Amino acid sequence: MKLIFLGAPGAGKGTQAEVVSEKLHIPAISTGNIIREALKNGTELGLRAKEYMDAGKLVPDEVVIDIIRERLAQPDCANGFILDGFPRTVPQAEALDRMGVEIDKVVDIEVPDEKIAKRMAGRRVCPDCGASYHIEYKPSKDGKTCSLCGAELVQRKDDHPDVVADRLRVYHEQTEPLKDYYGKTGKLKIVIGQEEVADTTRMTLEAIEA
């Protein structure tokens, strides 16, 4: 099963990708996490990506496509995968097609902008292992440190309200057109994000299995 998860930043697609990944035994590939790993390690790719991410802008297509091409060639992707955060633009989707990657389903998780702004204001991440939490919806055990590795949780720069507003604007301009792109292929499934994560998961799995 080769899947793409679409949705505005903060819509919950990363959380759903993790759950579906475990259920279907296929890797969830988050371009954001791959890029953040490159940032942490100070690689050439990470440094190229950093200036864009700090400004809340999308990392250029050629950089992201190189990352994805490399990742999909790894053995754990042989039986399928979930792409979370890629493609983000129609040219990226076209590049994926040119790579010969045959996608089975595209799941678009939809959540209103005002709910996303609230969600992202409460999001906290682990700078060491990349685990993601929310002060209200998915707190860590003590609310301050990572339940997995114990590092102190931080708020990402791109979760600050002014950057969130800019990211949502960029999403509507550049990423939302993908709904039309994949809608024409008959592979697009719309899931309305629910208050309870488990309800969204149930609907996501139904959409994939339909």
Side-chain angles (χ1 to χ4, degrees):
M1 193 59 109
K2 296 174 181 175
L3 306 169
I4 291 171
F5 279 24
L6 296 178
K13 59 187 182 298
T15 301
Q16 296 306 322
E18 284 175 22
V19 175
V20 175
S21 162
E22 282 184 29
K23 191 164 180 69
L24 299 183
H25 308 293
I26 54 176
I29 299 166
S30 160
T31 44
N33 283 349
I34 297 172
I35 291 171
R36 277 189 284 279
E37 188 68 23
L39 285 176
K40 191 175 156 189
N41 295 334
T43 64
E44 182 190 345
L45 169 69
L47 295 172
R48 283 169 69 192
K50 186 177 191 305
E51 58 189 281
Y52 295 93
M53 290 180 74
D54 281 352
K57 293 178 181 172
L58 296 180
V59 178
D61 284 0
E62 64 270 17
V63 178
V64 181
I65 289 161
D66 282 347
I67 301 171
I68 293 296
R69 184 183 284 111
E70 199 174 77
R71 181 66 184 87
L72 294 184
Q74 292 180 20
D76 64 339
C77 292
N79 296 320
F81 50 80
I82 301 165
L83 287 175
D84 162 21
F86 181 90
R88 281 189 174 173
T89 62
V90 170
Q92 285 184 1
E94 291 167 346
L96 195 62
D97 291 341
R98 286 195 297 273
M99 282 159 60
V101 177
E102 186 65 37
I103 297 298
D104 297 307
K105 297 269 173 73
V106 178
V107 179
D108 178 48
I109 299 174
E110 304 219 330
V111 176
D113 284 5
E114 58 273 16
K115 281 194 178 178
I116 283 175
K118 183 184 174 190
R119 280 185 185 182
M120 292 177 81
R123 186 157 67 174
R124 299 292 181 269
V125 294
C126 174
D128 288 357
C129 75
S132 185
Y133 301 92
H134 193 282
I135 55 176
E136 187 179 341
Y137 304 116
K138 188 188 170 187
S140 68
K141 285 175 185 170
D142 65 3
K144 295 175 184 175
T145 59
C146 178
S147 304
L148 300 177
C149 73
E152 191 162 340
L153 300 177
V154 297
Q155 184 178 38
R156 283 189 355 215
K157 270 187 187 174
D158 52 4
D159 283 345
H160 286 221
D162 52 339
V163 182
V164 168
D166 196 50
R167 289 177 74 197
L168 287 170
R169 180 187 57 76
V170 170
Y171 168 77
H172 292 306
E173 286 175 7
Q174 299 187 17
T175 307
E176 215 158 25
L178 285 169
K179 285 163 63 178
D180 286 339
Y181 184 85
Y182 286 115
K184 290 170 187 167
T185 67
K187 295 175 181 178
L188 181 71
K189 303 288 180 182
I190 304 281
V191 171
I192 305 300
Q194 305 296 305
E195 282 300 317
E196 295 294 329
V197 172
D199 292 335
T200 307
T201 300
R202 176 177 48 77
M203 295 167 74
T204 299
L205 288 168
E206 285 171 2
I208 290 167
E209 291 158 6

